[in-house]
Amino acid sequence: MTDQLAATFVRQTLVEPRKAPTMTIGVVGFVRQRLLNSPLNIVLTVASVALLALIVTPTVKFLLVDAVWHGNDRSACLDANAGHVVGACWPFVQAKFDQFIYGFYPQAERWRVNLTFLLGALLLAPLLIPRVPAKALNSGLFFLAYPIVAFFLLRGGGIRGFVVNWCADLGSGLASSFQDAGSRLVGIGEGMTGSSLGSLVALLGRAVALFGQALGWLILPLEWMRDYTQRFAATVWVDLTLTAVIVSLLAFLLTGGFRNGWRALLRSAVIFAGIAVVIKLMDLDHGGLPIVDTRQWGGLLVTLVVSLTGIVASMPVGIVLALGRRSTIPLIKLFSITFIEFWRGVPLITVLFFATYMLPLFLPGNFTVDGLVRVLIGIALFAGAYNAEVIRGGLQAIPRGQAEAASALGLSYWKTTGLIVMPQALRHVIPGLVNSFIALFKDTTLVLIVAIFDLLGQLRASFADPNWATPTTLFTGFAFTGIIYFVFCFGMSRYSLFVERRLNAHKNV
């Protein structure tokens, strides 16, 4: 039996040699498997190569091959002087480079812009690298301390008081406004003699005036402390000390007092010591740096200020509105829905016009807000409404069992939202949020319509210079700004993919 099986399975002739296997790895393998593996793919590959050749070749020729790299005026970028068809006129960009970056910022003060850029890069880079420790401290410095320092660096000026003075002035202003509005309503109502509507208006006016009077009584202690600090020559330092004592004591008592509050007390003392160091270094108590009006800002400086402020400030606004829209309290839900739908229902240009020209009409007569700050507020609210809907989509993707499990463990609503639900929701909507950020970064060019010159505005203003009026100046300028926008937007896109892969390691992103 064994001999018969052995005789059956033993080949009596040699096997024909097989053909060499087709290469499936490397560049050749990629081309075979991805580009030329079917007739349709072959056609698409050939069409794509032809399209790239039509686009890339003239672009490279314009930007590099036929470009003019040196010159002092427009004559260097003319065909007759160059001896060939001129492509990009890069001397124009070199001559206007400072204007593109700083706008009309005074030349002697541009070190402040450079220092602001450097501080921002030093604080942002560790945040973007996961392995760098102390993320909480770094986040606090970047999101809380850096905007204030950057404001005083870029704008200049000093402070005449601190939190006690600011709160007392704001509170007294609000109380006076309510009392004044109430008095006017009472006068209008009493003028409508014999009308029930007049009685209602007068009653409403008395209620508003009474509210203002009650608010004034509440801030009496703050006004007394403000008057007390202003008796001293060093008002800022007295106010800072008083604020530090009040805030540190509150932090100490609210976090457990003598049992657990020492850490909060130490942290508060360190923060106020840091504030004191910044005030001393920038000489804010003696007027600070020379003031540079925001109308003199421009170029890439304004683009980064507007876009970064909008991106950072719109996130908390969006989170609050998204939570408010899912709230079970009808008034909060109605307010959130109304806010979101209103801001999403108007174009950004309308928001900018409203913030620039109409918002001052609603402010008290002695209260003014800088034009750039008004634009920043409008953009933050506009972007916040869009981010709210993106975040709400992420919240809806979280199964109800997550919150129920957290409740079963005894976690409160805020701990459940902050530690369990919101991190997962934000992880789901990273592509949508980054998409909104990129769109906002590019939409900042609309500030040009309210006479704020960002990078693109400065570029358009530079075209009016007759010393650089050549046929290719326009295209060179737009190519330069396009490269800058592409670098920032592509960088954000690539980093968001990195974050997605890191947070979704179990998925094939």
Side-chain angles (χ1 to χ4, degrees), residues 277-298:
V277 171
V278 171
I279 291 175
K280 191 63 182 176
L281 287 177
M282 299 182 69
D283 205 20
L284 298 180
D285 56 329
H286 292 94
L289 298 169
I291 294 177
V292 178
D293 192 79
T294 54
R295 291 292 177 187
Q296 295 179 275
W297 301 12

Side-chain angles (χ1 to χ4, degrees), residues 94-154:
Q94 296 170 13
K96 301 293 182 182
F97 186 78
D98 287 349
Q99 185 178 338
F100 293 157
I101 302 299
Y102 307 105
F104 304 110
Y105 209 90
Q107 190 168 6
E109 305 293 334
R110 288 178 180 173
W111 64 270
R112 292 155 56 175
V113 180
N114 297 333
L115 181 59
T116 305
F117 287 162
L118 179 62
L119 288 176
L122 291 177
L123 291 175
L124 181 61
L127 277 179
L128 301 180
I129 303 174
R131 293 183 179 179
V132 176
K135 284 288 187 291
L137 175 62
N138 200 351
S139 301
L141 291 175
F142 182 76
F143 291 108
L144 299 178
Y146 176 69
I148 299 173
V149 173
F151 173 79
F152 284 108
L153 264 178
L154 294 176

Side-chain angles (χ1 to χ4, degrees), residues 59-69 88 90:
T59 303
V60 173
K61 189 177 179 183
F62 176 81
L63 294 178
L64 301 176
V65 179
D66 293 336
V68 174
W69 299 92
W90 293 116

Side-chain angles (χ1 to χ4, degrees), residues 241-300:
T241 306
L242 199 57
T243 306
V245 171
I246 294 173
V247 173
S248 300
L249 282 177
L250 286 175
F252 178 71
L253 295 175
L254 293 177
T255 54
F258 290 97
R259 189 176 54 185
N260 297 321
W262 296 105
R263 187 173 181 179
L265 180 64
L266 178 62
R267 186 181 301 168
S268 175
V270 171
I271 290 174
F272 279 101
I275 294 173
V277 171
V278 171
I279 291 175
K280 191 63 182 176
L281 287 177
M282 299 182 69
D283 205 20
L284 298 180
D285 56 329
H286 292 94
L289 298 169
I291 294 177
V292 178
D293 192 79
T294 54
R295 291 292 177 187
Q296 295 179 275
W297 301 12
L300 185 63

Side-chain angles (χ1 to χ4, degrees), residues 295 297-299 302-303 305-307 348-349 352-353 356-357 371-372 374-376 379 440-458 485:
R295 291 292 177 187
W297 301 12
V302 164
T303 299
V305 168
V306 173
S307 58
L348 181 57
I349 293 177
L352 296 176
F353 268 114
T356 304
Y357 299 112
L372 182 60
R374 294 199 294 267
V375 168
L376 294 178
I379 288 180
L440 178 62
F441 184 82
K442 293 184 292 186
D443 286 345
T444 54
T445 56
L446 293 175
V447 299
L448 179 63
I449 65 171
V450 291
I452 295 177
F453 290 85
D454 69 325
L455 177 59
L456 204 58
Q458 289 295 337
Y485 276 101

